[in-house]
Amino acid sequence: MVIFASLLTVITQGFMEKNKPTVMVDIAIFTVFEDKLKILLIKRGSEPFKDSWALPGGALNTVTDNSLEEAAMRELVEETGVENQYLEQLCTYGGPDRDPRDWTLSVTYFALVAADEVTLRAGTDTMEAKWHTLTQDKVEVSLAFDHERIVCEAISRLRAKLDYTDIAVHLLPKEFTLSELQRVYEIIMQEKLNKSSFRMRVARADIVAPINGKMRTGSNRPAQLYQFVKHEGDRMFFPRSIAWAQERKK
Amino acid sequence: MVIFASLLTVITQGFMEKNKPTVMVDIAIFTVFEDKLKILLIKRGSEPFKDSWALPGGALNTVTDNSLEEAAMRELVEETGVENQYLEQLCTYGGPDRDPRDWTLSVTYFALVAADEVTLRAGTDTMEAKWHTLTQDKVEVSLAFDHERIVCEAISRLRAKLDYTDIAVHLLPKEFTLSELQRVYEIIMQEKLNKSSFRMRVARADIVAPINGKMRTGSNRPAQLYQFVKHEGDRMFFPRSIAWAQERKK
DNA sequence: CTAATAGTGTCTATCAGACATTATAAG
DNA sequence: CTTATAATGTCTGATAGACACTATTAG
């Protein structure tokens, strides 16, 4: 009986090994321009979900990919043409019904790119890549698979991290003013922030440095240009969180 | 024996199929007792890493598992005998060298259980489950695969979330005193916390409620017993983070 | 009484937010 | 001059941390 049971186990495991899930790597790539948070989507050229929009991604290939991060970075560079961008693992989703073809597992990432450095991959015969505006955390088009949920999760993470880290600098060009940085925070947080508080916090966090003598000119007082200063762990911890403070207002 | 051999062939062929990785679900299960943070480890009964300790886990079964979460929860219940514990996805690791047998992908979770509710699975012939004390974020035994890295990541996440959420209540029995709750925080944060500040924050967060009339007695002033109050989203956001405050001291 | 732990009160430094004020450009 | 935006200053309320203090049990 014991032998029979263990045999069953082996058989089951045998089937299981054969029935591995298909593993995908999908990325939510964000940028900010036109005063809006944007996400990069790909129009699907084939079934399932033909003509729907989806997150850039692809199947993991164990022969060519040496890590998940590498697979994600490859996809990111392929789509945006930009290397060394901010990339962070998000969540992993799995289930039998995510894709009608198979039990699939998606390891999702989220990436931040500066709009001015991106050159979208030329639209091929079947695939079209396009920035979509996020309004109330949603795009206007319907998304393939469970990608809508992934987008929500990605925005939620982005907003959470914005509150206690410096990652917003990755959305800006190499040189930027503090007002521009604050504007990015406001666009993503969907809240107006206090100028002096914001500046004090940014100064304390020590993540930007003025570029001596360089100013952004216009028909008003010129603004000091800053650049991002790399930090080990590149985190800036705010002593109080912006989100909490705003929570208190209600 | 012949049956075994042919089954092995099937298994091997399964591995080769379509360049898919083998998918594992591993869990870092924490508890607190004896004034120490503990993690549940399993002694491996077979190669590779025979006799090393590893995180509880197993291969994802696409035939029986309907989601990753379900697979993780099954593993958690199997090991601890406790249902409905705190379970959260951690990270996903993948690479060709994590396991000598195959390109593997581990979806890792972390779980919190109350020590008094756990009954460790009876040790079978080959597997032994045991709580290991974490000292300086390390166990005294060597871990299989890249599980040491996963444990580090899990502790780091636990500590981070402790700072702005209420998850520590999941490490305590159903009834507890505020001093006990504070002690759990101190054990994990490895810092002594201020009593009045801690109590004010806990009170404001509104996540525990006194159990009317119930007191813990001893050879000192009796302490009010509290119970956990479920909250939607079950998060308590501290207006200032404990960690930051302590960062400032240096 | 003492010992031990529970629980509260007071003071201080710090910080976010609100709002005002000054600075510097173009036209 | 006006307009626009940059940048700084001032005041207030909230709060974490330090530390002292009171409360309540057992023995």
Side-chain angles (χ1 to χ4, degrees), chain A residues 1 16 26 45 50 55 57 81 103 110 118 154 166 184 203 223 232 238:
Chain A
M1 194 56 198
M16 184 172 61
D26 295 316
K50 190 170 188 299
L55 293 175
W103 206 113
F110 93 99
V118 175
D166 59 358
V184 168
E232 42 271 60
F238 288 129

Side-chain angles (χ1 to χ4, degrees), chain A residues 16 18-23 60-63 65-66 68 89 91-92 94 96 102-103 105 237 239-241 244, chain B residues 15 17 19-23 60-62 65-68 89 91-94 96 102-103 105 237 239-240 244:
Chain A
M16 184 172 61
K18 238 186 143 179
N19 293 332
K20 294 176 183 178
T22 298
V23 177
L60 179 76
N61 186 328
T62 58
V63 174
D65 290 320
N66 278 310
L68 292 168
Q89 198 184 87
C91 280
T92 301
D102 196 10
W103 206 113
L105 186 149
F237 288 93
R240 287 189 203 180
S241 98
W244 170 258
Chain B
F15 268 78
E17 188 183 276
N19 303 334
K20 289 179 180 178
T22 296
V23 176
L60 179 76
N61 187 331
T62 59
D65 290 320
N66 278 310
S67 72
L68 291 167
Q89 198 183 87
C91 280
T92 301
Y93 297 90
D102 194 13
W103 207 111
L105 185 148
F237 289 92
R240 288 190 201 180
W244 170 259

Side-chain angles (χ1 to χ4, degrees), chain B residues 2 5 10 24 42 66 88 105 123 125 177 183 196 245:
Chain B
V2 173
V10 169
M24 309 289 291
I42 307 288
N66 278 310
E88 171 183 321
L105 185 148
D125 43 345
T177 68
R183 187 81 196 108
S196 47

